[in-house]
Amino acid sequence: MLQVLLSGLAIGAIYGLVGMGFAIAFYVTRVINFAEGQLLMVGVMVAAWLARTGLDPWLAVVVGIAAAAAVGAVTYLVAVRPVLAFDRFSFAWLVSTLGVALILENGAALIWGPTSRSFPALLTGTSVHVGSATLTLQEVVTIGLAVVVAIAFELYRRKTLFGKLGMAIAHDPEMATALGANTAVVAAAAFALAGAFAGLAGVLIGPITYSNPYLGDTYGIAGFVALMIGGTARPAAAMVGGLLLGILGEAANKLINTQASDWFPFVVVVVILLVLPEGLFSLVGPLRRLVLRRSRRTSPVRVAG
Amino acid sequence: MSAAAPALHIAGLHAGYGRYDVLRGVDLDVGPGEAVGLLGPNGAGKTTLLRSIMGLVKHRRGVLSVAGTDLLRLPAHRIARGHAGLVPEGRRLFVDQPIEDNLLLGALHLRRHRDRVAELLESVYDLFPVLRDLRRRPAGALSGGQQQMVAIGRMLMSDPKVLLLDEPSLGLAPIAIGEVAEALEALREQGRSILVVEQRVDLVLRMCDRIYVLAGGEVALEERASALGDDGRALIDAYLG
Amino acid sequence: MTGAISLPRASKPALFVLALAGYAVFAYWAAHSTLYIQGLVLVAAVFGMLAVSLDLVAGMVGLYSLGHAGLFAIGAYATTILYNDHHWNLFVILPVCLAGVGAVGLLLGAISLRVSGLYFAITTFVFTLVLTVFASDFKFTGGYGGLIGPIFPEFPSWLHWAGTSVTWACLIALLLATLVVLAIRVSPLYPVLLAIRDAEPFAAAAGAPTAAVRVGVFGLSAAIAGGAGWMFAFQGIVSPSQFSWQVSVNILVMVILGGINTTIGPILGAVFITVFPAQVNINPFWQEVLFGALFVAVIVAFPSGFVGLLRLVWRHALRRLGAGRARVERAVETPAAEAVVAPERVNGAAPAAPAIECHGIVFRYGSGPLVLNHVDFTVRRATIHGLIGPNGSGKSTLVDLISGRLRPVAGSIEIEGTPVDRQGVTTRVRHGVARTFQSAVLVDELSARQNVQVGLYTRVPRLGPRSLAWPVIPSARRDSRALRERVDESLSFVGARSWAPVRVSDVPHGIAQLTQLAAASAWGPRTLILDEPLAGLSPKEVEHAASILTKLKASGVSIVLIEHQPRFVFALCDEVTVLAAGEVVATGPAASVRENEQVREVYLGQ
């Protein structure tokens, strides 16, 4: 049981990172970047390629993440900004970001070939025992890093001026403009950060999947489902969604049968969405209001307008 | 007033959203240190005028400058960086974020000048002492009057050359209206250049040196506030017919 | 229909016949070509149907469904299983497919409509995802390998000259799907659908049951997708990978890339996406990269898709030919001499009962402060009753309560003596109540004429079902003509007749206000609630609008007039009620309210 939980967390952390990538870009621009999964692939492919050319594997991994971030920003500038400038409410970005996904996936296959290639193993050999369960060092690092990154992001969003600006743009982009915010720059930065999250997920999963131009599909969809579970109100919720998805998949795999991991998590997601159509975290708002109202009764501040 | 360059100079301004203009050749000036009131029926184009000054209305032509800087050539986010500041209708605060964050977001372009930001923040808290105590509270949890103070403070944080306020008394309780009006009078004392859209004739007469009435996208009347009588009977009569 | 440049009306049927003939020639050619091309035509036609069906919901009512691959899968699997295992006749399966998948669509729509926008897309997306996962895991669906589909019956011998039967079948199916959607597009339901999409309060105030219409349209769209599934079964193999969520996304791409809410755009998109990869024979990776680059390039250059590109070319060609119409200068005209729109005479209601009677209305939003505090409000028949007060005094809220958009916390409302407290917006419309909204809630992309048509929703019997075959139903043609006359009369009545064909996004504000007034009064309501109809009008336009209201009153309509400019109110109204901070300050004959000191104080502020 513990083994299921921990293995689930390890794979769920990857889903969560990709899900947060979707969420961060969506948070600022209200656009789902359908090339998000392909950004994970870019991270993996670039890192693997650089390692093969003899670059230090650690450096290769860092460049891989940076490459994913750069491609993310370019995606915004080339495929998203022009269509939003025409009509902020159209869904034309669906077509253009899918186009980018096609270009990235097949471009990678053109450059590096369509087959799986090796990925530099950075953390090998050691396994970690937690109670009755055993995890590889790779898995432990993945879980740890994902949780740290999610918390760090949330702190960054709330505590730095740039993070606060992101929140402001998410809430009311026009008002943010009227306060001097260059929303295009912030949006491009959000896409770059979303790319970096996917790239990080890529180099963490790379040692297990190897480098392959078609990785984007699998992890893209899982990340998207993680986003749905968490809802779009706060990006870090997608990490919780990802972890939950990972555990559900692993549990279905072990406890039902191997095929069940394909459908069981989704059935759970359907149930969650039917009950809470705006994601698991749509509960947070009403709960907080309930608590706040109780605390306000004793506070001297007037609430009524 | 005629001697110095006007703080805000508008001449023959046309602006709108679709093919037809909402503003049809507006001429309006705000002198340095002058408080100007803008009255008119709903739909006359008052809000559109303020939004045009801020660059939030895309289609604009005519003359529009603040202290000699041509605003028609600047994108909206550049106008907001010290040229003009807006308190929008309905306040539009970032309600989930603390008051202090709302205020700091007003000073985005000054982020490299920490001392200046601290100084501005201090001046806002001096103007609205109640906000200092509440600065960690989410803006949405405040009363309407306090929210309006935050909106005014947020605008002041950008250190604008001309202050634009859209219906600052709208939806406020009488006590809160009094507080907001006092704050605006204090700003006028400081020698700020102010353009305020307001429906409450009494407030406009109390706060402003000069008054424009906008109707159908054009200036229908321009008059010194003192010429309208102490209680503004003349203007009220014009309203009630 | 609403574009500034169009061909003379007479040439439209001719063009239509020409297009049909061209299509028949193409079908004949396709039915005699190689198996490879026939396979391609089948797939393209099936995806054409899917794109057309998705455009019906996405384009016309704004529901971006990702459930269409799932609905498509149900059709294809049901056909294959019913034929293979239960040996049903293929032409019995077809109606079963249409009805069954349509019913699934109604259910899915009803469940998913709890959410809107992105969340609607997500819920329907999960539907597709789960269906395909089950299809790959269950035995009776053949698992990952899928099932072998039925073979389409050959033509009888006297039709052998026509070529391959299945090619004709799929092209006819696509044609039928397109014609059904086209019928809706030219029917009076179309403006109503767009109003539901863009201006829901307007549609509801016109008496359209917006949620039911949405679900109904989704059901129809699902039925077409089910039909596409039936057709697809003849393609050979039916397997889960053909109905994955990516297929759902692809169908949406076809719609957007081709041109959303257009007749041929979705088909162009479907043909491009199915034929391009099959016909461009270069290195497969280069081909996909090129494909992706075309997505980006087309949508960035033409955000409205291929149809946007075609329109540009078309306009260019027309300009070359010098067929561009000269711009007509329009202005507000003198309104028609008499009130042509008489209200329906009441039968049964006691003549003494007031038009509107509100007792002790209390209202607040959620747990917020009181917006209305024990408001009594009575409007006598055939009078103009002014409702004035400063912004935020509760005028619009009171009107929303009367029209049924909001429910009071306490108090009761009667319309012509009938209590309506338990009735929704659409039912109250049937009591003869019409209303307009502050700052003109209209459908921007429709003409003034089409917007007024929305207001006549309740005047067309069984509009929903009849719209599916609108152009060929004789009674519908009569209705269309009558509707058009009524709309034009109504527009003449407000003096905006010459603006009838112009898109609302291109008319001045005053005309938009008058169009709204025309839409609200066109069907002959007995009570008319106008929320700031004079806002933003020039003094001349105000005078014009006032004369219209006086004429409406003369014809027996009771009018509630919310207004901000007291000067016009006192001149125009018989009685006036003044609200301030949610309470009635004064009410009574206009002259006495005007002299009321308290009222002057409300406007003075203290």
Side-chain angles (χ1 to χ4, degrees):
Chain A
M1 205 59 226
L2 186 65
Q3 183 69 49
V4 166
L5 190 71
L6 290 174
S7 305
L9 283 179
I11 186 68
I14 302 292
Y15 301 158
L17 284 172
V18 179
M20 278 186 73
F22 274 109
I24 292 167
F26 182 82
Y27 187 67
V28 176
T29 57
R30 303 283 127 181
V31 163
I32 298 279
N33 178 8
F34 277 88
E36 186 67 31
Q38 277 63 38
L39 295 178
L40 172 144
M41 181 274 296
V42 167
V44 175
M45 299 298 277
V46 169
W49 170 62
L50 288 175
R52 281 201 303 277
T53 63
L55 198 68
D56 176 65
W58 287 98
L59 190 59
V61 159
V62 172
V63 177
I65 296 174
V71 175
V74 171
T75 304
Y76 173 75
L77 294 174
V78 172
V80 177
R81 192 170 175 218
V83 298
L84 289 187
F86 173 78
D87 178 0
R88 205 153 69 82
F89 300 104
S90 87
F91 278 64
W93 47 260
L94 172 95
V95 175
S96 56
T97 59
L98 273 173
V100 171
L102 278 175
I103 295 172
L104 292 179
E105 189 166 292
N106 295 285
L110 260 182
I111 301 171
W112 293 297
T115 50
S116 284
R117 310 271 294 261
S118 68
F119 190 87
L122 299 172
L123 312 155
T124 44
T126 338
S127 47
V128 182
H129 299 274
V130 186
S132 58
T134 311
L135 285 181
T136 62
L137 183 60
Q138 176 77 30
E139 287 173 323
V140 175
V141 169
T142 300
I143 299 172
L145 215 53
V147 172
V148 167
V149 162
I151 293 172
F153 173 81
E154 200 58 10
L155 286 176
Y156 180 80
R157 182 172 75 97
R158 288 170 197 228
K159 300 295 176 199
T160 68
L161 186 64
F162 200 73
K164 290 166 185 172
L165 178 57
M167 282 175 83
I169 293 176
H171 183 255
D172 187 343
E174 192 190 66
M175 194 60 227
T177 305
L179 292 174
N182 189 343
T183 47
V185 168
V186 181
F191 266 72
L193 190 61
F197 269 73
L200 176 64
V203 299
L204 286 172
I205 197 71
I208 297 161
T209 58
Y210 301 122
S211 71
N212 173 333
Y214 303 106
L215 283 175
D217 283 344
T218 323
Y219 290 96
I221 177 74
F224 185 55
V225 175
L227 168 73
M228 284 190 260
I229 301 176
T232 54
R234 50 183 72 67
M239 177 56 73
V240 180
L243 294 175
L244 189 63
L245 184 65
I247 294 169
L248 286 173
E250 200 62 24
N253 194 7
K254 288 276 152 53
L255 305 178
I256 309 175
N257 58 43
T258 44
Q259 280 178 343
S261 60
D262 287 343
W263 58 265
F264 181 71
F266 296 126
V267 171
V268 175
V269 170
V270 174
V271 174
I272 290 178
L273 286 177
L274 282 181
V275 181
L276 302 167
E278 314 219 324
L280 206 55
F281 281 75
S282 56
L283 274 178
V284 173
L287 277 178
R288 181 194 283 168
R289 268 194 288 284
L290 205 70
V291 176
L292 268 185
R293 193 174 303 157
R294 200 158 294 155
S295 70
R296 252 182 236 153
R297 285 205 188 118
T298 53
S299 90
V301 183
R302 281 180 297 134
V303 257
Chain B
M1 186 188 75
S2 53
L8 173 68
H9 174 59
I10 297 174
L13 182 68
H14 288 254
Y17 303 92
R19 198 189 282 177
Y20 289 85
D21 292 334
V22 178
L23 300 182
R24 293 176 272 217
V26 170
D27 302 312
L28 182 148
D29 283 280
V30 178
E34 194 186 22
V36 171
L38 191 54
L39 292 161
N42 277 2
K46 295 167 297 187
T47 296
T48 304
L49 178 58
L50 297 195
R51 287 171 53 84
S52 309
I53 299 170
M54 290 306 294
L56 299 175
V57 175
K58 286 276 175 306
H59 307 282
R60 305 176 292 169
R61 58 182 202 284
V63 178
L64 176 53
S65 66
V66 165
T69 309
D70 179 9
L71 295 192
L72 291 184
R73 291 163 174 273
L74 290 182
H77 69 272
R78 296 282 300 278
I79 293 174
R81 295 178 177 181
H83 295 293
L86 174 68
V87 176
E89 191 179 351
R91 305 185 279 270
R92 290 171 75 173
L93 296 182
F94 305 114
V95 288
D96 298 329
Q97 292 173 267
I99 289 176
E100 188 150 295
D101 288 1
N102 271 275
L103 295 176
L104 291 174
L105 283 167
L108 282 173
H109 64 293
L110 299 171
R111 61 185 176 274
R112 295 195 207 295
H113 312 279
R114 292 197 169 185
D115 297 345
R116 183 82 190 108
V117 174
E119 207 176 288
L120 285 164
L121 195 61
E122 227 17 64
S123 70
V124 169
Y125 285 148
D126 287 343
L127 187 63
F128 302 115
V130 59
L131 297 186
R132 193 194 302 270
D133 304 328
L134 301 172
R135 63 182 185 273
R136 307 231 173 277
R137 254 172 216 276
L142 302 186
S143 73
Q146 289 162 344
Q147 290 197 9
Q148 194 60 265
M149 293 176 191
V150 178
I152 295 171
R154 184 176 65 179
M155 179 249 320
L156 291 173
M157 289 295 290
S158 71
D159 202 10
K161 294 195 181 69
V162 58
L163 281 50
L164 311 172
L165 297 104
D166 199 348
E167 307 232 7
S169 77
L170 184 61
L172 298 189
I175 304 173
I177 293 180
E179 287 169 358
V180 168
E182 270 168 39
L184 291 181
E185 277 177 307
L187 290 173
R188 185 185 171 195
E189 306 273 292
Q190 289 173 16
R192 302 275 195 160
S193 313
I194 302 173
L195 177 62
V196 56
V197 169
E198 183 52 72
Q199 303 197 27
R200 291 269 305 256
V201 177
D202 58 324
L203 289 183
V204 173
L205 291 175
R206 196 169 121 196
M207 293 183 310
C208 299
D209 304 306
R210 220 150 38 86
I211 282 169
Y212 287 88
V213 175
L214 212 57
E218 289 166 29
V219 172
L221 176 78
E222 185 210 333
E223 193 59 84
R224 300 203 66 79
S226 52
L228 292 166
D230 284 344
D231 56 357
R233 279 284 154 189
L235 204 59
I236 301 293
D237 287 343
Y239 251 112
L240 290 179
Chain C
M1 195 186 297
T2 56
I5 297 167
S6 56
L7 287 177
R9 182 168 302 143
S11 62
K12 274 192 177 166
L15 261 184
F16 184 71
V17 170
L18 205 65
L20 274 188
Y23 192 74
V25 171
F26 169 76
Y28 184 85
W29 169 81
H32 289 85
S33 21
T34 61
L35 276 180
Y36 172 75
I37 290 194
Q38 287 178 356
L40 205 56
V41 167
L42 175 66
V43 174
V46 165
F47 276 97
M49 285 173 79
L50 287 168
V52 165
S53 77
L54 180 59
D55 189 33
L56 181 62
V57 279
M60 289 194 202
V61 286
L63 296 173
Y64 288 79
S65 160
L66 290 178
H68 273 58
L71 297 165
F72 176 43
I74 297 177
Y77 271 106
T79 304
T80 308
I81 292 167
L82 288 177
Y83 180 81
N84 287 356
D85 300 354
H86 304 275
H87 312 292
W88 285 30
N89 182 311
L90 285 170
F91 294 95
V92 174
I93 296 177
L94 176 61
V96 169
C97 241
L98 293 175
V101 180
V104 172
L106 289 177
L107 202 67
L108 178 66
I111 294 171
S112 313
L113 272 178
R114 288 182 53 214
V115 293
S116 58
L118 182 68
Y119 295 102
F120 179 85
I122 289 173
T123 318
T124 50
F125 164 87
V126 172
F127 168 78
T128 299
L129 201 64
V130 171
L131 270 185
T132 48
V133 168
F134 277 125
S136 19
D137 275 4
F138 282 111
K139 265 215 184 68
F140 76 98
T141 56
Y144 283 105
L147 302 166
I148 295 177
I151 291 168
F152 200 81
E154 297 268 337
F155 277 134
S157 53
W158 58 273
L159 262 176
H160 269 308
W161 59 270
T164 314
S165 56
V166 67
T167 306
W168 279 100
C170 70
L171 287 173
I172 289 170
L174 171 64
L175 182 65
L176 288 177
T178 311
L179 289 179
V180 166
V181 176
L182 185 63
I184 295 176
R185 197 180 294 281
V186 300
S187 81
L189 185 65
Y190 178 65
V192 177
L193 294 180
L194 259 57
I196 290 173
R197 187 190 74 184
D198 290 348
E200 186 157 3
F202 175 38
T210 55
V213 172
R214 274 207 169 113
V215 173
V217 171
F218 195 80
L220 173 64
S221 169
I224 298 176
W230 178 81
M231 205 61 244
F232 191 69
F234 303 110
Q235 166 264 356
I237 290 172
V238 176
S239 70
S241 64
Q242 292 162 320
F243 311 101
S244 67
W245 65 272
Q246 285 98 332
V247 173
S248 264
V249 174
N250 264 342
I251 303 169
L252 194 49
V253 168
M254 292 168 189
V255 171
I256 297 175
L257 195 63
I260 194 160
N261 196 15
T262 58
T263 305
I264 60 163
I267 301 173
L268 292 180
V271 170
F272 173 73
I273 286 180
T274 47
V275 173
F276 180 91
Q279 287 306 94
V280 180
N281 287 312
I282 47 177
N283 171 319
F285 301 122
W286 268 119
Q287 178 188 309
E288 290 285 309
V289 169
L290 181 63
F291 199 40
L294 277 173
F295 277 25
V296 179
V298 169
I299 215 69
V300 165
F302 302 98
S304 43
F306 289 140
V307 168
L309 173 65
L310 284 183
R311 279 202 190 117
L312 201 74
V313 173
W314 181 243
R315 213 168 295 162
H316 206 75
L318 280 185
R319 202 169 301 145
R320 276 274 171 80
L321 294 170
R325 233 189 250 165
R327 232 192 111 182
V328 190
E329 277 304 318
R330 298 182 173 88
V332 179
E333 312 116 36
T334 340
E338 58 199 67
V340 283
V341 212
E344 304 269 304
R345 285 293 153 209
V346 221
N347 298 317
I356 297 171
E357 194 155 27
C358 300
H359 282 297
I361 300 291
V362 177
F363 183 78
R364 55 156 62 93
Y365 290 95
S367 57
L370 277 183
V371 180
L372 291 175
N373 191 4
H374 290 93
V375 169
D376 295 323
F377 180 64
T378 305
V379 178
R380 288 190 297 120
R381 292 271 177 99
T383 58
I384 301 182
H385 193 120
L387 183 56
I388 64 172
N391 273 1
S393 58
K395 299 174 305 233
S396 291
T397 306
L398 180 57
V399 160
D400 280 348
L401 289 164
I402 294 170
S403 68
R405 282 187 79 210
L406 298 173
R407 296 295 166 95
V409 175
S412 66
I413 298 171
E414 288 181 9
I415 293 174
E416 297 186 340
T418 317
V420 292
D421 299 307
R422 290 167 191 284
Q423 299 176 349
V425 176
T426 42
T427 330
R428 292 189 197 190
V429 172
R430 295 183 198 280
H431 283 290
V433 180
R435 69 166 295 186
T436 64
F437 296 86
Q438 218 170 321
S439 66
V441 177
L442 293 169
V443 186
D444 278 351
E445 71 180 67
L446 292 179
S447 64
R449 178 180 284 134
Q450 285 171 305
N451 270 289
V452 177
Q453 263 183 25
V454 175
L456 287 165
Y457 175 81
T458 52
R459 311 303 294 172
V460 189
R462 288 176 291 110
L463 177 53
R466 285 161 82 216
S467 68
L468 301 182
W470 191 264
V472 291
I473 303 177
S475 70
R477 307 187 106 171
R478 274 200 305 279
D479 281 2
S480 267
R481 221 173 299 126
L483 205 58
R484 198 186 161 95
E485 276 166 23
R486 187 113 192 211
V487 167
D488 287 354
E489 272 173 21
S490 185
L491 277 169
S492 306
F493 176 63
V494 299
R497 171 69 181 80
S498 66
W499 293 90
V502 184
R503 280 167 64 118
V504 165
S505 58
D506 292 340
V507 308
H509 180 71
I511 298 298
Q513 290 279 39
L514 291 176
T515 304
Q516 216 193 175
L517 183 58
S521 60
W523 57 279
R526 295 187 300 275
T527 308
L528 199 51
I529 304 173
L530 307 174
D531 196 347
E532 301 214 22
L534 309 178
L537 300 190
S538 67
K540 210 178 118 203
E541 288 170 326
V542 168
E543 223 164 274
H544 171 80
S547 72
I548 296 167
L549 297 190
T550 313
K551 250 182 278 168
L552 278 169
K553 179 181 98 170
S555 69
V557 180
S558 324
I559 298 173
V560 177
L561 176 67
I562 294 192
E563 194 35 66
H564 192 69
Q565 305 169 67
R567 187 154 36 137
F568 302 110
V569 172
F570 290 116
L572 194 58
C573 296
D574 302 295
E575 297 190 352
V576 173
T577 298
V578 185
L579 275 182
E583 295 186 30
V584 176
V585 175
T587 186
S592 69
V593 170
R594 184 183 186 169
E595 295 308 316
N596 188 321
E597 263 310 303
Q598 253 182 311
V599 174
R600 300 182 80 84
E601 276 169 21
V602 164
Y603 276 87
L604 262 168
Q606 280 308 311

